[in-house]
Amino acid sequence: MSVRQLSVPPRAIPDFDAPLAWVALALLALGLVMVYSASIATAEASRHTAYQAHYFLARHGAYLAVSMVIGLAAFQIPMRAWQGMAPYLFVFGVALLVLVLLPGVGREVNGSRRWLPLMFVNVQPSELVKLFVVLYAADYTVRKAAWMDSLRKGFLPMFFVMLLTGALLLAEPDFGAFAVITAIAVSILFLGGMNWRLFAGLMGLLVTGFMILIVTSPYRMQRIAAFMDPWSDPFGKGYQLSHALIAFGRGEWFGVGLGGSVEKLFYLPEAHTDFLMAVIAEELGFAGVSLIIALFGWLVWRAFLIGRRAANLERPFSALVAQGIGVWLATQALVNIGVNTGVFPTKGLTLPLMSFGGSAMAANCLALALLLRVDFENRQALKGYP
């Protein structure tokens, strides 16, 4: 979009996208309320004497406050600086993925080694790596724009880098994060002009690779079997999905009321993290779920619109970052909602901006800050500022 195409004088353009900020804040606020509702019983049973029933609310509120401060600080950094830091941030992220796998360093929970214990919090490197991959893939695509049709110079270097990242994630194991990061990298390469033949070949390799990973892993095959028919083993492998479906069924059109969920009372595991949407469906019904899907849809649409405007203003790195963030939020929200509704097999992916978790919240707020920064620089360019 050029200045001539604007329907208002350039100087009258607002400095930031207020609707985008309000939609993001609405999702964060709804997440805070629903995490509190979903976690009360768990908090009371855990006997956290300092906070009792408010334990997870207090922690989630603290994570949200800190993440918003981090986001505000990140917003002050120009996109050209982010582009310069992109390779170094990615290397830092890979180093964290290696560190979490070291015995005695990474913390293991439920058979997965995904967390680094730091003082009062546990940091999950895979959440930060999602953001670093957005930045690195965008920077790589811009630098290699002239070789996007080349298998050797354009495709293979990025392929081997993502292969290393994927191997580290699967060693944790964190198949969900691997799937999201793969979607981000592939989408940015495609949006950046990758040859369609290379893209089609890559998609074929990815589908084959995912099938091999599933077939060669007994626990993933068990999850597929539970996904296909959760009622065949409702007290075993199909336990989570069957109770999530019961929650959706109980919610009907308008839900049983905020705080009225039965499934969160120790029937549905991870009610305040991976299966928060099931609690939302039970308490707020189809109407509440539809509202959240609409908010996510609007946020993703806005991210792509901001990216397109950046591309029209000849800011390719900013354009790919904005669209990469859109792909990230869309993919993760889609998979999480799909898991909750039985459309996809169970994966350890939280609902962006809403589920409990400090690392995810920090990464999400950083992503929103970068999206707002891209939009801010677009508006400054339209006003005639450098």
Side-chain angles (χ1 to χ4, degrees), residues 237-254:
K237 298 301 179 184
Y239 184 80
Q240 282 181 306
L241 179 54
S242 61
H243 280 281
L245 294 175
I246 290 171
F248 271 85
R250 292 192 74 246
E252 298 184 349
W253 288 101
F254 299 103

Side-chain angles (χ1 to χ4, degrees), residues 34-60 264-266 268 270-273 356:
M34 294 312 303
V35 163
Y36 180 41
S37 177
S39 65
I40 292 176
T42 304
E44 289 179 338
S46 301
R47 299 177 182 177
H48 294 287
T49 56
Y51 305 108
Q52 297 179 359
H54 313 301
Y55 175 79
F56 290 103
L57 172 65
R59 289 185 72 88
H60 191 70
K264 70 184 180 184
L265 303 178
F266 311 109
L268 181 63
E270 312 297 339
H272 58 299
T273 54
F356 178 82

Side-chain angles (χ1 to χ4, degrees), residues 293 296 300 327-341 343-344 349-352:
I293 291 175
F296 272 114
V300 170
V327 170
W328 168 15
L329 296 177
T331 302
Q332 187 157 333
L334 178 65
V335 171
N336 178 272
I337 295 170
V339 166
N340 277 252
T341 55
V343 176
F344 298 127
L349 282 176
T350 56
L351 188 62

